[in-house]
Amino acid sequence: MVKELIVKNRSCRRFYENYLIDIEMLRDFVDCARLSASGANLQPLKYILSCDSQKNSLIFSNIAWAGYLKKWPGPEEGERPSAYVIILGDRTISPTFGCDHGIAAQSILLGATEQGLGGCMINSVKREEMQRVLTLPKQCEILLVIAIGKPKEKVVIEPVGAKGDIQYWRDSEGVHHVPKRSLDEIIIG
Ligand SMILES: Cc1cc2nc3c(=O)[nH]c(=O)nc-3n(C[C@H](O)[C@H](O)[C@H](O)COP(=O)(O)O)c2cc1C
């Protein structure tokens, strides 16, 4: 079951934007993160939730999508995420955040996937601008943005080809392909 969920949990970048996600659902996803592991159990992460169009558009303006799809500027209106969770690191609790935000992000996305939603972790963020437009607390550092919505695109995993190219690509039908290295390649001892 867990593995099925992990396989289903692909990065998705086009959504049915008019599908509404409410704040209680987002709180429940963050609860999955809250219950996850944290280095030294410091729990330095804080969260900003967004599921209204005004706040969503402020966030959307400050993130970048799919660097390998050079000709694609990101999801058009109507296909943008219905919600976001911004993961912040609170420097008053710890100066560094280790891999806590990666673990939290995966927990959030697995929670969303289980509910038939999908999403994408986003690290390409105009951090200063986002901090300013959302008036985020100064002691908090933006670590990751998670876009969430009802998936409108098909994403498939495939083995990395003979040339070793790991870049994801989109075919003429709009299907998004994600090459994954084999188990034998990554287990080296
Ligand atoms: C830490 C991290 C940062 C990422 N940042 C971005 C990003 O800024 N924009 C984006 O479109 N995708 C981003 N992604 C999604 C990756 O491109 C995606 O995980 C990768 O292509 C593999 O696809 P998969 O998640 O379906 O396995 C990020 C993923 C991770 C783990």
Side-chain angles (χ1 to χ4, degrees), residues 95-147:
T96 57
F97 308 102
C99 54
D100 278 24
H101 44 299
I103 294 167
Q106 181 76 349
S107 294
I108 288 168
L109 282 171
L110 288 176
T113 302
E114 193 187 34
Q115 297 301 320
L117 301 174
C120 189
M121 299 182 203
I122 299 191
N123 188 44
S124 300
V125 180
K126 292 183 210 159
R127 286 178 161 76
E128 273 180 32
E129 187 60 8
M130 188 177 284
Q131 191 101 23
R132 191 182 67 77
V133 295
L134 297 176
T135 52
L136 301 179
K138 289 217 170 12
Q139 77 270 18
C140 287
E141 187 179 316
I142 298 170
L143 298 173
L144 266 180
V145 174
I146 305 177

Side-chain angles (χ1 to χ4, degrees), residues 2 4 14 26 31-32 41 51-52 62 92 115 123 151 153 155 164 170 177 179-180 188:
V2 172
E4 269 173 37
R14 286 174 293 170
L26 293 181
D31 210 29
C32 296
N41 203 27
C51 54
D52 73 75
N62 288 294
T92 64
Q115 297 301 320
N123 188 44
E153 69 178 2
V155 181
R170 194 179 287 169
H177 296 251
K180 292 287 182 191
I188 59 161

Side-chain angles (χ1 to χ4, degrees), residues 52-114:
D52 73 75
S53 56
Q54 207 187 342
K55 203 167 171 185
N56 282 355
S57 88
L58 289 176
I59 296 170
F60 181 83
S61 312
N62 288 294
I63 55 179
W65 297 84
Y68 291 144
L69 305 183
K70 300 286 180 217
K71 291 181 186 155
W72 188 61
E76 59 190 38
E77 259 188 82
E79 295 190 341
R80 292 177 183 166
S82 308
Y84 295 90
V85 173
I86 305 175
I87 307 182
L88 306 174
D90 186 339
R91 288 194 213 90
T92 64
I93 297 178
S94 176
T96 57
F97 308 102
C99 54
D100 278 24
H101 44 299
I103 294 167
Q106 181 76 349
S107 294
I108 288 168
L109 282 171
L110 288 176
T113 302
E114 193 187 34

